[in-house]
Amino acid sequence: MVSGATSLNLVRDELFNTMEEAERSLEQFIVERHNGSLLQQAVESLQQVRGTLNLIELAGAELLAQEVLDQATDIPAGAGEERDVQLAALSNALHVLRRYLESLDVHRQEMPELLLPAINDLRQAGSQPPLPESFFFSLRLDQARPQSSAPAVDEATRQVQARRLRHMYQLGLLGFVREQNTQASLKLMVRAMARLDSLFASEARGRMCWIGAAAIESQADGQLLPRKSRKQLFLRLDRELKLMLGNPHYEAPRSLLKELLYLVALADSHGPLASAMREVFGLTPLPFTDHLLEEEYQRLAGPGQAVMRSLSTAIREELTSVKDMLDLLERGTLQEDTLGTLHALLGKLAKTLSMVGLSSAGNALSVQLPQVAAWNDSEPPALEQLHKLADAVLYVEGMVASLESGSRRDAQPVPSAALSDAESFALHQLNEARIVVVGEAQAGLALAKRAITAYLESAGDKMHLANVPFSLQAVRGGLWFLEQRRAAALVGACAEYIQTRMLDAAQMPSEQMLETLADALSSLEYYLEAGAVLRPETQPSVLDLAEDSIRALGMPVAA
């Protein structure tokens, strides 16, 4: 039997006609809420649509049609305003379904993942839980992980380390959820989860940490979008960590592991953790990327993007006409009624820009209107006035570009402090110096972490550490200059540990102690990457975490 995208063409006309009938009946019902027969006609058409999609085995489209049918059946005749959200979700879902089937008819490529946002909007409107991102993804979860062993640490010490690492994960998670320096936050989360995995590698409960570390690495490496569903997934991972740490017989929910592995497959990351995961589970790259899914869904949910692009094209054409007129004015070759046309065109553009949300761009043109109205054919405008108008037009051009890119809809006004030029320049120079110092400090911490890794891999070759205390003392001095006394003291403690316990000592510290030192350096690195030096009021708990790690090393911390 022919099925799927290849068979859509056989039923295309009848299917689209039936969908049109369902949309028309639903639209009329939204206006005439007491006309139950309109709603019944829509339900009957939807039943036919669902049946046809089931016949040709388009699983994703059938699921969306079933959700639409369930919601439509749930709505009573005479529904009031309390059903507006549900009716809007129904209309949107039918629109997306039609666009999806039109695309499928042309490209012959099924991508049911594109329908999940519309499905979940419907489910949310009907107070039902959303379907996970991995709903259409399948794999075997019972693959055994490669043999690994946890470090020899007594249980009490391991629990203390595990709680500290969960705290590290939570700090990174907070930054990710708030979308504050997302990459730095994810790096901290990966570090914490990978270290937790090393603590529990020999136990079944460590499986969640093993898979979780690879999923977070994939989120960072593949630059996956920080969707709400992913924030909720990593929040759920934290809740499960709490259960895991208190229960030696803990077993992670299969639904959670599947969702984490879906991120690994979606990102196609080349990171070491994700690469190992793909090999164990036989994960192959998916036929789409996260960003492609987003672009395609925006296209399906249109016409918003298409309309905005068309509108921006029309605005740019009118801006070109304005620039041509300005060119004529500057050369003194005025044509009849040029000034009247220019004034009308600027007024029209200002209103259009305000209507589409680009209010600052519209205002930039509006403030020019009185000046243009004062110009006359007998006396050409001053060159300075023309330049001001040209500057406003160029500003508007830049703002209109955001309509096509889908970026911010308007510019926030920049407050101007009452400072002299000399004071502004001095502040600028100081800020530049601070940025340079922070950059050098980050480089120094990264160098120390690489040196410790090389020291560990070389079974204690002290040559790798020769310059590390000096580099860290330089970092300490830079932080002292930035008035980050506490961070400077913590970096100094790390430098002291490396000098006294690694370079001057006869015996190499245990691997666990070296990992704890790396935890402290990672926390300090995150503190710098997350911008806490430039915004001192943020991230104080990151320094608490670094201090905990340094205390675990047995080093005193200055008050």
Side-chain angles (χ1 to χ4, degrees), residues 336-463:
E336 188 177 352
D337 203 29
T338 297
L339 293 175
T341 305
L342 176 61
H343 186 271
L345 190 52
L346 289 173
K348 177 184 171 186
L349 275 169
K351 289 179 182 177
T352 303
L353 291 165
S354 297
M355 284 173 57
V356 299
L358 296 177
S359 55
S360 66
N363 290 338
L365 295 183
S366 294
V367 297
Q368 299 293 323
L369 288 175
Q371 179 177 277
V372 175
W375 296 345
N376 57 68
D377 293 342
S378 59
E379 186 177 342
L383 199 59
E384 183 183 349
Q385 293 176 325
L386 286 174
H387 287 170
K388 281 185 178 178
L389 179 54
D391 287 342
V393 170
L394 290 174
Y395 171 72
V396 170
E397 270 193 318
M399 292 301 300
V400 169
S402 69
L403 290 177
E404 294 184 337
S405 64
S407 59
R408 59 190 173 89
R409 296 291 301 275
D410 204 356
Q412 296 298 322
V414 180
S416 56
L419 297 173
S420 68
D421 290 345
E423 288 173 321
S424 297
F425 180 72
L427 282 176
H428 173 72
Q429 291 293 88
L430 179 60
N431 193 47
E432 289 293 312
R434 290 165 68 88
I435 291 170
V436 169
V437 172
V438 170
E440 290 296 322
Q442 287 176 286
L445 290 174
L447 173 67
K449 287 172 63 181
R450 288 196 300 271
I452 292 167
T453 301
Y455 169 78
L456 180 60
E457 291 174 348
S458 64
D461 186 347
K462 296 180 181 180
M463 180 188 71

Side-chain angles (χ1 to χ4, degrees), residues 166-179 185-186 188-189 230-239 526:
R166 184 185 172 216
H167 184 203
M168 179 187 288
Y169 176 82
Q170 289 172 327
L171 286 172
L173 178 60
L174 184 63
F176 177 69
V177 168
R178 292 176 174 174
E179 297 185 36
S185 298
L186 288 169
L188 199 66
M189 292 164 67
R230 289 163 195 168
K231 293 175 183 178
Q232 291 172 334
L233 175 65
F234 293 143
L235 285 165
R236 181 185 176 192
L237 189 55
D238 177 57
R239 292 194 297 272
Y526 176 72

Side-chain angles (χ1 to χ4, degrees), residues 306-362:
V307 167
M308 295 308 274
R309 287 194 185 95
S310 299
L311 182 60
S312 69
T313 300
I315 292 174
R316 281 206 316 274
E317 288 173 357
E318 294 188 341
L319 286 171
T320 301
S321 299
V322 170
K323 288 193 288 186
D324 289 341
M325 292 180 200
L326 288 176
D327 185 48
L328 291 173
L329 285 167
E330 189 172 15
R331 287 186 289 167
T333 54
L334 280 173
Q335 298 178 355
E336 188 177 352
D337 203 29
T338 297
L339 293 175
T341 305
L342 176 61
H343 186 271
L345 190 52
L346 289 173
K348 177 184 171 186
L349 275 169
K351 289 179 182 177
T352 303
L353 291 165
S354 297
M355 284 173 57
V356 299
L358 296 177
S359 55
S360 66

